[in-house]
Amino acid sequence: MSSRLIIALDFATAEQALTFVKDLQPSQCKLKVGFELFVAAGPEFVRHLVQRGFAVFLDLKFHDIPNTVASACKAAAQLGVWMLNVHASGGVTMMQAAKAALADLPNPPKLIAVTVLTSMDKAQLASTGIQLEPLKQVQYLAKLAQDSGLDGVVCSAQEAALLRVQLGDEFLLVTPGIRPEGSDKGDQSRVMTPRQAKQAGVSYVVVGRPITQAAEPQAVIAQINADLA
C-alpha cells in the first residue's frame, strides 16, 4: 500500500527543498508543492521531483474563468503531477471544465477542490456575502465538487468524519493541520493526530513543519506511516 502521507515542502527556495528531499524515497511519502515554492522554483522543479519517482500534489488552488482554469489544469498535468486542486467556489462550470480538460490524458492527475479556507471563520465568510456557518458551506461546496465530477476535497480533520458519511468511501479527503503526538501545534489551532485522522476517514494527511523542521525527520515519517497503516 502506498503511503497516505503528503509532506508539504514549505521552503522558500528549490535548493532548500532539494536538500530536504534528497534523503527521502518515493515509497515513504508523497510531496506537496505550494505557491511559494512553485513561484520560486518553477515548473522544472516539479518535473525533477516527478522524474525522481515522487507523487506530487501541486497545490495552486486555481480559481478563474472556466477556460483559463481548464488550460491551467492541462498545463499542470503535463508536468506529470499526481494531484492538483481548484477552488470549489469557482462553481460547477469551472470545475467541470477543469475535469474535462484532464479527461483525455492517458494518466490524468487526481483533481480535488478547496472548500472553505481554514483561516475563514463565520465573520469573514459573512464579509464576502456568505451567511452560512463555515461547516455548512464546506458541506455544500464538497457536494458541489462531487457532483461536478471531482475526485475529492481538501478539508479540515474536524470536517472529515461528517464528509465521509455524506460523500461515501471513494471520495478523497485530503487533510492539512495534522500534528504527530506530542508535536508543537504551530499556527494551527484545530489539529488532529495521524491516528485520529485515519479514524475520521481521511484519505491523505498533509504534514509540513513537524517533519521538515524535526531533528530526525525520518523517525517522524516512520511514525506517521505506522499510525496511518
Side-chain angles (χ1 to χ4, degrees):
M1 179 179 174
S2 64
S3 176
R4 294 163 65 181
L5 168 63
I6 303 172
I7 298 179
L9 297 179
D10 295 329
F11 296 99
T13 68
E15 291 74 21
Q16 291 172 340
L18 288 173
T19 297
F20 176 78
V21 169
K22 68 180 175 57
D23 295 323
L24 301 178
Q25 296 298 322
S27 60
Q28 293 177 291
C29 61
K30 297 168 172 61
L31 300 175
K32 182 175 84 72
V33 176
F35 282 122
E36 181 182 18
L37 186 55
F38 188 78
V39 170
E44 284 306 316
F45 175 76
V46 175
R47 287 194 182 96
H48 174 77
L49 296 179
V50 172
Q51 288 166 0
R52 281 199 51 190
F54 286 100
V56 177
F57 170 23
L58 189 61
D59 179 25
L60 299 183
K61 305 179 180 73
F62 297 130
H63 187 172
D64 210 309
I65 63 172
N67 186 61
T68 297
V69 170
S71 298
C73 287
K74 196 154 195 173
Q78 301 302 326
L79 300 177
V81 300
W82 158 67
M83 186 163 71
L84 56 94
N85 59 3
V86 300
H87 266 288
S89 54
V92 170
T93 303
M94 187 202 79
M95 287 190 281
Q96 289 178 337
K99 187 68 175 180
L102 305 174
D104 294 334
L105 300 177
N107 187 28
K110 301 292 185 185
L111 181 63
I112 64 174
V114 176
T115 53
V116 176
L117 296 173
T118 53
S119 61
M120 298 284 282
D121 58 19
K122 183 178 180 180
Q124 290 176 7
L125 273 181
S127 73
T128 68
I130 296 169
Q131 301 303 319
L132 293 177
E133 294 281 349
L135 178 58
K136 293 293 186 184
Q137 181 68 356
V138 166
Q139 289 179 278
Y140 177 78
L141 289 176
K143 186 65 167 64
L144 199 68
Q146 186 179 56
D147 291 346
S148 300
L150 270 62
D151 300 298
V153 292
V154 179
C155 66
S156 77
Q158 283 73 20
E159 297 155 356
L162 191 61
L163 292 179
R164 179 57 71 216
V165 172
Q166 178 185 356
L167 302 172
D169 292 337
E170 301 303 314
F171 200 65
L172 298 179
L173 302 179
V174 179
T175 305
I178 301 298
R179 293 289 185 271
E181 292 278 4
S183 66
D184 181 18
K185 290 185 178 181
D187 59 2
Q188 298 274 356
S189 59
R190 297 165 66 216
V191 301
M192 188 176 277
T193 68
R195 195 180 300 275
Q196 289 170 331
K198 177 187 176 184
Q199 293 169 346
V202 170
S203 309
Y204 298 98
V205 301
V206 180
V207 184
R209 285 169 292 181
I211 294 175
T212 59
Q213 297 181 11
E216 297 183 20
Q218 290 289 343
V220 181
I221 291 169
Q223 183 59 58
I224 292 175
N225 278 327
D227 289 344
L228 294 173

